[in-house]
Structure formats: C-alpha cells, structure tokens
Amino acid sequence: MSKVDPLFETCLRLGDTALVLGQRLAEWSSKAPTVELDIALSNHALDMIGQAQLFLEYAGRVEGKGRDEDALAYHRQDFEFRNAMIAELPKGDFACTMVRQLLFATYASMFYERMTASTDADLAAIAGKAEKEMAYHARHAGEWVVRLGDGTEESHQRAQDAVNLLWPYAHELFQTDVVDQAMIETGVLPDAAAFKGEWLGEIEAVLKRATLSLPEDDWMPSGGRSGQHTEHLAYLLAEMQVLPRAYPDAKW
Amino acid sequence: MVHEASAPDERAEQFDAWVADENKVEPQDWMPEGYAKTLVRQISQHAHSEIIGMQPEGNWITRAPSLRRKAILLAKVQDEAGHGLYLYSAAETLNVSRDQMEADLMSGKAKYSSIFNYPTLTWADVGAIGWLVDGAAIVNQIPLCRCSYGPYARAMIRVCKEESFHQRQGFELMMALSQGTPEQKAMAQDALNRWWWPAVQMFGPPDHDSPHSAQSMAWKIKRFSNDDLRQKFIDMAVKQAQALHIEIPDPDLKFNEETGHWDTGEINWDEFWAVVKGHGPCSRERMANRRKAHNDGAWVREAATAFAAKERARAEKVAA
Ligand SMILES: [Fe+2]
Ligand SMILES: [Fe+2]
C-alpha cells in the first residue's frame, strides 16, 4: 500500500463529509414540510456543496496529480470516500435531518472556529467561511429540534427516535487516528477531542429544552473516515456519479 | 383612484379610466370583483406553476454531473420556490389565504402551467427547460412588470431578474452539450425535440380561442395577446437554436420576408387541451408528489403550531 499523505487525506475527509451531507440535504428539494423549509434546506445543501468544492479543489492541488474537485467527487469508489458515516445515513424524516444537522453542525462550527488558526493557510481560509455557515445551521437545527421535541406527541416521538438512531454515529467525529495525530501535531487541524465536552454541553442544553434525552453510549460505530462505510454510501454515489461515469470523456 | 362614495356604476367607470391612464391599483383601493377574481386566478396559478415547476428540474439535482452544475441547479430550483412565495404573498393581498390556494392546488381545482407535466428524461432537459421554459416565462412576464395591480407588478420585477439569470444558465448548459461529445450533442437535440412544442404552447391557446384575454387587456393585466407573445418567443428561440447548432423540430418553420417573423407549422392544440385537463405524461405524478410532500410534512407544521401555543402560554404565565 502506498504511503498516505495526511494533508491530502484530511482534505478528503473534510470535503467528502461536506459533499455527502450536501447531497443528502439536497434530496429535500420540493419535498420539505413547507416552502420556507424547502428554501432553508436548499440553502444548507448549497453551503455544504460549496465547502466540498473548496476542500476537494485543495485536495487536488495537494495531491498534485491533476485531479480537480469533480474528478475527486465523481471518479472515486465508495471505499475511497473518507466522509464520516453520520453524513451518509439516509435523509429520513424531517426529525432525522434536523437532529443530524444539530449534531454535525454544532461539532463543525466548533471545529472550523478552531481551524481558522490552522498553520495551513488554505484550510484556515476555508474554515473562516465554513465556520459561519455551520454556526447558522446549528442554530436553525437547534430551534427545530426544540420545536419538534416540545411540539406534539408524534413530533416528540419522531425526534426522540432520530436522536436514538443518530447519536451513536456522532462519536466518530471526535475520534482521531494517525492521520489526525500528524495534522494536530503540526497545527494544521484542531484536536476535536479537546472540545467534545463543550459540544456535549451544547447538545444536552438543546435536548433539555426539547424535552429529549440521550441514549446510552453502548455502541460507537466508526470507519467512514478510513473508507469503511455503511451500506448506504454506495447507493448515494451510484446516483450522484451516474453521468460522469456513463460518459467519461464528456465535459459538462 | 376610485372614490368609495361613488355610485356603483360610476365606480366601475372611474376604475376603468384610472387603469386606462396607466395608474396602479393597490390592495386598499376599490376594484371590480371581476378584476380581483381574474388576478387571484392568474397570480395563484402562476405561484402554483413555480412550486410544481420545481419537480421536473429537481429530478436532476442529485445527478448533476459536476459540483458547479449541482450548485447552479439547486439554487435555481430554490429560486422557483422563492417565486412561489412572492406570488402567494401578492395573491394574499386580494384576501385569499395561502392555505386556501394550496388546498385548491392539491384538490386539482387550481391549475398550473402544463409544461411541467412533461418528464425530464436526460440531463439536457435541465438545459432545455432553463433556455426555453424560463425563456418563455420571461417573454410572458416582462409585460407583467407593468401590470395595473401594484403588488403583482412589483413581484414580477423581482421574478423576471432571476428568470433571465436562469435562462442564461440554461442556454450555457445547452452550449456546453452542443460543443461536447456526439452523445452530448444528441442529448441536446433530443431535449429540444421534446420541449419545443410544449414551450410554444406555454403562451396559451391562440387568440381566437382565449376566453379571458380581452377583458384582461382592458384592465391592463395583460399587455400583449398570446399569439403576439408566442411570436416574439419563436423569433428569439430560432436564433438561439442556430447558435447552438441544433434543429427546431418543425419541418414547416420558415422565415416570412413579408412580416419579418418566423412562421411555424401547425400547433397541436388537442395535445395542449389534453394536458390542461390532466392527461400529461407526468400530471398525476406531479400532483401526487405535491400532496405527498404536504401530507408528509403535516406533523412538522402541527408541531410548530403546538410549540408556538405552548410558548405563548408560558409567556402569559410569566407575565401574570
Ligand atoms: Fe420562476
Ligand atoms: Fe426560473
């Protein structure tokens, strides 16, 4: 196996997570509970796709083999994707989407806030833009999780089911491996473990207002960031990549 | 402006004179019942078209072939949702509620533009819709920016700016295909073959068969006849198709030296009326999708209402 460049790997992890989550959010177009929410969810999808473009474009430059963001997005296999698994789970109902947004965006806003001080100028610049977007997503999702949790009996149950379903996948966001270690040591990436307590505090505060509770931490699946995914990713990519795969010589 | 105190038939006369003088009518002004009714029908139908129109192009968002195209398409479909909202607001100034308008759409009572009942079978259809459907929408809507009803005219100014952006993006997408591989060129031609006639029909039935037109013209809601607008669109589209090196699927299309316009072959109005009656290839699916989205979201809207009521009760308790 060839040696992995930790910076390239890092850009893929950040870019793929943004891309796959953006793709899931985009699935809401013309299906949201209100026209206003349709517009909001498309906005959030656009933010994620925009971040993905920046991270993957930089990944291509770091790799130096002439691959641009589209080559990386459309011409890699599922096992070459490095997104966290929480991003690839099906969009589910509106409660699932809002709970995922809450868990992920709260994490990401804290991560990017710290990443603005990265020793890597490109990543610091992307973080500056992404930080604000993710803080907004977290706020929007938090408001909705509270409404759903403290709304009707049905919405409460759906929101609690969503928390139970998604909670185990949140832990992967805070795990570090040799790639992360190398990046943390050189000041390229912040250490997510260092703000897990702060993150948990924010999540618990929202869930408390929503009259929702956290399930037990008895299962913490991981692997997405090293290419071991759920069954869902291959379908997502089959759909997303269909045209560039069917017409490899075409420019769009 | 019409004086409230005037006698009923005097009011109608004053109103006609007011709009004939190119003055704007605002929501608080007196207006004939028929004027308000015509506007509610037209504006809500327009709003519904924006909302249903999200579906055919939305069909390709998850399959857009580059990240740039994906972002453009997602933003475009999002703009259409925004147009739906401006237009619902404009109609609401005429004392019809958005809930009522949405219910009329879902029950099938209210209509929307027939064009959205055709399927998007390839990626080129996204380009063809932007180029032709948004293109036709602009031709239709630019005169509406001068519509006598103020709120509608103002909504249209904003909508038209975005539609012309969509039209350029659609044309640019078609250009990329027409300069691409043989398969891409074939895709662009096939899309034009399928979208051309429905786009031509977007301007509505021919003038001699358009029941509401004369009164709408007198009230300055409408400025040009269906056939005049259609001709304007055809003349434009012919030139654009030439630039794309694709062929308009009409063997009878020819330039008329006398009139200076392009004459087309026979338009299939039987097909148009069949689609209006709900027999388009995707009519049932578009409606079913809209109803499903609405029904699937019911629990979310109920939750928001219940939560707002709880918050109000809590605030009152604190205040007491
Ligand atoms: Fe529109
Ligand atoms: Fe448009």
Side-chain angles (χ1 to χ4, degrees), chain B residues 76 80 83 134 163 166:
Chain B
K76 188 208 168 183
E80 309 302 3
H83 299 169
D134 287 79
E163 301 297 15
H166 298 165

Side-chain angles (χ1 to χ4, degrees), chain A residues 126-142:
Chain A
I126 302 172
K129 175 182 181 290
E131 172 204 3
K132 293 183 202 83
E133 293 168 348
M134 299 321 294
Y136 178 71
H137 294 202
R139 204 160 52 240
H140 178 264

Side-chain angles (χ1 to χ4, degrees), chain A residues 79-222:
Chain A
F79 57 82
E80 296 172 284
F81 267 69
R82 294 291 182 263
N83 59 284
M85 291 192 291
I86 194 168
E88 74 202 41
L89 297 176
K91 86 181 205 304
D93 65 7
F94 184 70
C96 281
T97 290
M98 285 298 106
V99 169
R100 167 162 52 196
Q101 286 295 93
L102 174 69
L103 297 175
F104 177 76
T106 305
Y107 153 84
S109 70
M110 292 178 175
F111 190 85
Y112 292 136
E113 187 192 331
R114 288 158 177 80
M115 203 171 97
T116 55
S118 172
T119 52
D120 182 295
D122 287 84
L123 288 183
I126 302 172
K129 175 182 181 290
E131 172 204 3
K132 293 183 202 83
E133 293 168 348
M134 299 321 294
Y136 178 71
H137 294 202
R139 204 160 52 240
H140 178 264
E143 284 165 10
W144 272 102
V145 169
V146 170
R147 273 188 205 112
L148 298 179
D150 192 20
T152 64
E153 212 174 301
E154 180 183 2
S155 69
H156 176 85
Q157 191 55 53
R158 283 177 183 262
Q160 186 61 58
D161 290 347
V163 172
N164 296 348
L165 176 80
L166 292 161
W167 178 250
Y169 294 91
H171 298 289
E172 188 187 14
L173 299 170
F174 295 94
Q175 288 163 359
T176 50
D177 61 8
V178 285
V179 172
D180 299 307
Q181 291 306 336
M183 292 288 93
I184 293 166
E185 269 163 36
T186 49
V188 172
L189 284 187
D191 184 357
F195 63 82
K196 190 173 184 184
E198 192 187 327
W199 171 82
L200 187 62
E202 286 214 9
I203 299 296
E204 282 177 332
V206 173
L207 294 184
K208 186 163 178 249
R209 284 177 55 216
T211 71
L212 297 167
S213 51
L214 279 181
E216 265 180 68
D217 284 329
D218 53 356
W219 179 54
M220 301 188 190
S222 72

